[in-house]
């Protein structure tokens, strides 16, 4: 073994540990869709007036509109479109392959011009086979 090999291994391990991004916050992953960011889980603290944390809702997180949807953790929804003029958001689910039968929340954050004058409800169009539409409350 060359005398520099242990030093190179130690450096490689240090770089790998440094790049892990170890944090207590959930990892925010930028999706390929219309949302600015998306991540597993719901933002904290939960908004007041939330009756069922597994029912979909919208809230404000760090100046962004956050939409929280629950569904299969192995086949999470994708943010496909955002019409900020009408507050209508499109989502789809890729069900290729097996999906777990659980209810895991996933949060999608959208940049909006202002969170001051958000409507009481936003519209969600969900495409998974058929298209369905629903109204989600905006909770504070």
């Amino acid at each position: 073994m060359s005398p520099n090999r242990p030093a190179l291994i130690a450096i490689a391990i240090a770089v790998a540990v440094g790049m892990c991004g170890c944090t207590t916050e959930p990892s925010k992953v930028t999706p390929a869709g219309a949302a600015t960011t998306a991540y597993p889980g719901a933002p904290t603290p939960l908004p007041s007036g939330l009756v069922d944390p597994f029912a979909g809702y919208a809230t404000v997180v760090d100046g962004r509109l956050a939409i929280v949807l629950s569904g299969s953790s192995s086949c999470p929804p994708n943010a496909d479109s955002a019409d900020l003029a009408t507050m209508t958001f499109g989502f789809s689910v890729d069900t290729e392959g097996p999906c777990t039968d659980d209810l895991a929340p996933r949060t999608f954050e959208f940049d909006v011009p202002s969170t001051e004058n958000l409507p009481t409800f936003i519209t969600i169009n969900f495409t998974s086979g058929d298209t369905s539409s629903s109204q989600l409350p905006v909770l504070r």
Side-chain angles (χ1 to χ4, degrees):
M1 182 184 302
S2 99
N4 290 333
R5 186 171 178 148
L8 290 174
I9 291 172
I11 290 171
I13 290 171
V15 168
V17 169
M19 290 178 65
C20 81
C22 301
T23 177
T24 58
E25 302 247 344
S27 172
K28 291 193 176 186
V29 178
T30 303
T36 305
T37 59
Y39 49 92
T44 55
L46 294 176
S48 64
L50 181 62
V51 176
D52 181 359
F54 294 106
Y57 65 93
T59 189
V60 175
V61 174
D62 296 329
R64 291 185 177 146
L65 177 67
I67 298 175
V68 182
L69 302 174
S70 292
S72 172
S73 61
S74 60
C75 298
N78 302 305
D80 298 327
S81 63
D83 183 342
L84 299 180
T86 63
M87 285 296 168
T88 301
F89 302 86
F91 291 88
S92 63
V93 175
D94 180 12
T95 56
E96 294 293 321
C99 298
T100 55
D101 190 18
D102 59 348
L103 282 177
R106 185 162 183 87
T107 301
F108 299 86
E109 293 182 3
F110 296 85
D111 287 328
V112 292
S114 170
T115 58
E116 296 297 317
N117 298 317
L118 289 174
T120 306
F121 291 91
I122 60 169
T123 301
I124 300 294
N125 293 323
F126 224 101
T127 305
S128 182
D130 294 331
T131 299
S132 63
S133 183
S134 62
Q135 300 285 307
L136 295 185
V138 178
L139 304 174
R140 303 271 180 162

